[in-house]
Amino acid sequence: AADAKRIGLGREALPEEIAAWDLDVAPDGTGLPVGSGSVLDGEEVFIAQCAVCHGDFAEGVGNWPKLAGGDGTLADEDPLKTVGSYWPYLSTAWDYVHRSMPYGAAQTLSTDETYAIVAYILYSNFIVEDDFVLSNENFLEVEMPNANGFIVDDRPETEYPRFSEAACMEDCKDSVEITMRAAVLDVTPEDEGEAEA
Amino acid sequence: MTADNENSGASRRAFLKGAVAAGGAVAGAGMARAAEPDPLITEVQYWATGFGDAVDETPYGMPIRFESDVIRRNVEWLTADTISSINFTPIHALDGTITPQGCAFERHHSGAIELKKEDYRLMINGLVDKPLVFTYEDLERFPRENHVYFCECAANTGMEWAGAQLNGAQFTHGMIHNMEYSGVSLRTLLTEAGLETTGDLSDKWVYVEGADASSNGRSIPMEKALDDVLVAFKANGEALRKEHGYPVRLVVPGWEGNMWVKWLRRVEVTDQAIESREETSKYTDTMEDGTSRKWTWVMDAKSVVTSPSPQAPIKHGPGPLVITGLAWSGHGAITRVDVSTDGGKNWQQARLAAEGQSKALSRFYLEIDWDGSEMLLQSRAHDETGYVQPSKDALRDVRGENSIYHNNCIQTWWVKENGEAENVEVS
């Protein structure tokens, strides 16, 4: 029946084409290519390709993302969310580095280089020892500290009933005081257009 | 003629300044009688005697130069660089609901890429009967749909979680645009690849990614993919702008802007969520106890007064005042907007300019007679599910201050006696 709705546009994708574009790796390891890389190899590649932004120890330079540290800070006033402290799956680190890093020269890392960099990021987060070698075979054995830190959107239970009550229209509060002002912070860009208006 | 033009600009500025000064004096008196005849009326102006521009002057026009402040703006300190960054729609200066594409906000993760139609390919693969490759021309041959939807960045208003920070509706609420899209339903394209052999569709996903270096891959449950997701190639009547995904982007009605993948190159049917970087490290919402929500796709009901606002002060003095703003909900249509002038003590129902459309911006107006005293202006949206836009404190009660995304709180502008407005929080 669905076949009848087909219009007959497009052509079949070839295996080489799918292999070139379908690079994603799922949490259960689906999509991981065969390969491996050590922490030591990773350190070398990381220093050469990544450290200028992310620091020699993945601790971040300036405003660039910190990839290590922040363990146990998620409930703090200023949580530090890194691969070690926050990311639930190692697959995401592999997939993202392989496809989108280095920033400005993405898709230049080989499979083994990617394994090595990910091993080095794990080491920088004190998740593995310095002699660790990451491969497609032991990939799922790595325990990510915040693997259980996520829940599926629960707004339908925790918020929507609470925010669906009849709205107050009159005499809703006794007093209203200003408690915070943006002008005091003064971080808004100046209105350059004003001079011309 | 240019010189005349400049002079006329100057006198117009002086005129406007004079009007502000005179505003107080005429309040309550209705139309005052002019003291002397207005030379803009009594003297023949250059535009009333000479020529304007010829029709071949501007094959594709830009706004008149006097509107040069109605532009996208960047806030430098928000991001490490301007490539993976955000800018803001000048919503304080717009009216109606359709966002002009040229000043509609941008959010890129590896810049706005240039991808011509001839080089464009869309792949559908994974758990389908037959993986397919489409060219741009193929896409234009499928049955087409037109819909108006808002695209709101998940981080819109995100800088305001811990307090009042940026001073202007453009900066606090401008990661949004609203366009009329033309394109093909994703359902049509998935049907073309075939879902006959896919099995139970209720536990399937589509993973969508862009052609840019960041790829911006996201997982979308099959139910949504088959519902109202659009593969769009036109917006507001013309091709998508480069920075909005030319030549093809995904439109995911009501859902967070990150999922509206630009320069769409691949749709993969999968049996699990990929849990990509953009749905684990980013676009997850950390709660007070350190656990985080994932898959917070829908943008809840929200509104903001766009004028008066910090960038749109009252210049005309007391008397008739148009309070206006925008309201929207990812759950459906806006049914009502309330406005308060006293910081939420009392509310009155505003007027919707048109009946609310599902998952699109609504424009509201409240016309008042301003007596020149201070106001604490707020707006409160209601959507068709009965949801009422909450206060920031009510949201913080549930979430704390570190969830970054999905801040749909009620905004307060403190309008002072001189007509200036400021972003504030109130008790």
Side-chain angles (χ1 to χ4, degrees):
Chain A
D3 208 50
K5 285 183 237 151
R6 283 182 196 167
I7 291 163
L9 289 166
R11 51 99 179 155
E12 185 154 8
L14 300 177
E16 297 88 338
E17 294 171 331
I18 294 171
W21 275 10
D22 184 352
L23 304 173
D24 52 76
V25 181
D28 67 1
T30 302
L32 264 185
V34 174
S36 67
S38 67
V39 170
L40 285 177
D41 288 345
E43 181 179 31
E44 204 172 301
V45 187
F46 197 90
I47 299 291
Q49 305 255 35
C50 320
V52 63
C53 295
H54 296 295
D56 287 354
F57 306 100
E59 80 282 16
V61 173
N63 268 342
W64 297 102
K66 298 166 172 56
L67 308 181
D71 192 28
T73 66
L74 296 181
D76 291 359
E77 195 178 327
D78 285 308
L80 174 54
K81 300 175 176 185
T82 69
V83 176
S85 70
Y86 192 62
W87 292 34
Y89 304 110
L90 193 60
S91 56
T92 312
W94 201 99
D95 172 283
Y96 183 67
V97 169
H98 185 233
R99 189 165 16 164
S100 298
M101 287 288 139
Y103 190 53
Q107 303 198 71
T108 57
L109 296 171
S110 71
T111 296
D112 287 346
E113 281 174 330
T114 307
Y115 277 108
I117 287 172
V118 172
Y120 183 69
I121 293 171
L122 287 171
Y123 170 71
S124 300
N125 278 288
F126 308 110
I127 293 171
V128 298
E129 300 295 323
D130 62 3
D131 60 354
F132 181 71
V133 179
L134 181 68
S135 73
N136 58 298
E137 285 176 356
N138 68 359
F139 197 87
L140 295 181
E141 290 164 25
V142 178
E143 284 181 37
M144 298 295 279
N146 197 40
N148 297 316
F150 294 80
I151 56 164
V152 174
D153 184 6
D154 65 349
R155 286 175 294 175
E157 296 82 49
T158 56
E159 296 187 8
Y160 297 162
R162 187 191 294 221
F163 301 149
S164 298
E165 289 168 9
C168 174
M169 293 299 283
E170 278 179 15
D171 301 322
C172 302
K173 18 182 164 170
D174 293 334
S175 70
V176 174
E177 307 297 332
I178 291 172
T179 56
M180 197 163 317
R181 297 179 50 188
V184 174
L185 266 178
D186 196 25
V187 292
T188 311
E190 293 296 314
D191 189 0
E192 309 121 40
E194 194 78 305
E196 285 192 64
Chain B
M1 183 140 128
T2 304
D4 275 352
N5 225 337
E6 295 301 333
N7 287 340
S8 135
S11 69
R12 183 138 187 89
R13 273 199 296 281
F15 172 79
L16 283 169
K17 277 189 184 139
V20 174
V26 299
M31 285 276 275
R33 184 187 165 84
E36 30 185 297
D38 183 351
L40 282 167
I41 298 170
T42 56
E43 294 172 13
V44 175
Q45 302 295 314
Y46 73 87
W47 56 79
T49 179
F51 291 131
D53 293 339
V55 293
D56 59 355
E57 178 81 17
T58 315
Y60 197 104
M62 291 284 285
I64 195 165
R65 63 199 176 94
F66 310 120
E67 297 295 313
S68 62
D69 59 325
V70 186
I71 51 173
R72 297 188 276 232
R73 288 183 193 278
N74 168 236
V75 178
E76 231 170 82
W77 55 264
L78 277 178
T79 50
D81 74 349
T82 52
I83 304 293
S84 178
S85 195
I86 187 85
N87 62 28
F88 300 86
T89 305
I91 55 169
H92 64 288
L94 303 177
D95 210 322
T97 58
I98 294 295
T99 312
Q101 291 197 82
C103 65
F105 87 103
E106 304 167 63
R107 202 291 185 239
H108 319 301
H109 293 79
S110 52
I113 60 165
E114 188 176 81
L115 176 56
K116 63 175 188 246
K117 287 175 182 171
E118 291 80 0
D119 293 346
Y120 180 78
R121 298 289 183 273
L122 175 63
M123 182 184 291
I124 301 201
N125 75 309
L127 304 174
V128 293
D129 300 346
K130 182 160 101 173
L132 292 176
V133 172
F134 298 113
T135 63
Y136 179 82
E137 285 177 328
D138 291 334
L139 293 184
E140 283 202 336
R141 296 169 68 190
F142 283 100
R144 225 168 288 172
E145 296 184 14
N146 288 278
H147 300 279
V148 177
Y149 296 119
F150 72 81
C151 173
E152 183 185 18
C153 179
N156 200 21
T157 323
M159 298 81 72
E160 303 289 312
W161 270 114
Q165 185 153 235
L166 286 162
N167 210 19
Q170 176 169 22
F171 303 107
T172 57
H173 290 75
M175 297 182 195
I176 193 165
H177 55 60
N178 191 67
M179 301 187 189
E180 183 195 38
Y181 293 98
S182 308
V184 180
S185 81
L186 180 56
R187 179 179 57 247
T188 299
L189 299 182
L190 288 169
T191 302
E192 198 67 11
L195 296 172
E196 299 279 278
T197 54
T198 309
D200 181 8
L201 292 178
S202 67
D203 63 355
K204 298 299 184 295
W205 297 74
V206 296
Y207 182 68
V208 288
E209 66 176 15
D212 63 318
S214 83
S215 113
N216 199 61
R218 287 292 308 251
S219 305
I220 298 175
M222 183 61 82
E223 185 184 4
K224 178 71 173 176
L226 294 177
D227 179 17
D228 56 3
V229 176
L230 208 60
V231 175
F233 37 79
K234 296 281 171 77
N236 294 349
E238 61 181 354
L240 296 170
R241 294 291 169 96
K242 174 178 78 172
E243 62 271 30
H244 297 139
Y246 181 92
V248 176
R249 83 172 307 164
L250 207 62
V251 168
V252 191
W255 288 22
E256 59 188 13
N258 178 255
M259 307 177 82
W260 294 47
V261 172
K262 297 184 287 190
W263 315 290
L264 179 73
R265 84 167 188 187
R266 197 169 66 88
V267 177
E268 178 187 0
V269 176
T270 60
D271 58 9
Q272 59 184 317
I274 298 302
E275 303 269 11
S276 69
R277 186 251 196 183
E278 306 295 332
E279 53 199 347
T280 54
S281 170
K282 306 296 174 188
Y283 307 100
T284 49
D285 315 353
T286 301
M287 312 290 280
E288 197 151 31
D289 68 357
T291 58
S292 302
R293 289 173 175 162
K294 65 175 181 179
W295 303 345
T296 46
W297 298 312
V298 181
M299 302 306 291
D300 294 327
K302 186 167 174 178
S303 68
V304 64
V305 171
T306 53
S307 180
S309 67
Q311 297 157 288
I314 303 170
K315 291 181 174 168
H316 53 58
L321 170 68
V322 174
I323 298 170
T324 187
L326 295 165
W328 61 96
S329 172
H331 292 282
I334 290 295
T335 50
R336 177 179 138 193
V337 177
D338 304 324
V339 169
S340 172
T341 57
D342 57 10
K345 278 191 208 174
N346 298 286
W347 296 86
Q348 46 191 319
Q349 209 169 314
R351 177 169 64 83
L352 293 182
E355 195 181 340
Q357 291 184 68
S358 189
K359 304 168 189 176
L361 294 189
S362 280
R363 169 66 56 180
F364 66 85
Y365 298 103
L366 181 70
E367 292 86 3
I368 68 166
D369 188 21
W370 184 45
D371 64 5
S373 58
E374 286 187 359
M375 295 186 284
L376 291 167
L377 270 185
Q378 299 183 332
S379 63
R380 184 174 67 187
H382 302 240
D383 74 22
E384 62 178 300
T385 69
Y387 179 98
V388 183
Q389 183 184 1
S391 69
K392 201 189 286 185
D393 283 335
L395 284 173
R396 285 192 290 224
D397 273 352
V398 181
R399 305 185 196 172
E401 293 183 358
N402 283 325
S403 56
I404 302 176
Y405 306 107
H406 293 281
N407 186 349
N408 65 318
C409 71
I410 291 171
Q411 172 67 43
T412 309
W413 305 128
W414 173 30
V415 180
K416 300 161 200 180
E417 289 174 347
N418 65 3
E420 286 176 5
E422 183 179 335
N423 175 13
V424 297
E425 277 193 19
V426 295
S427 58

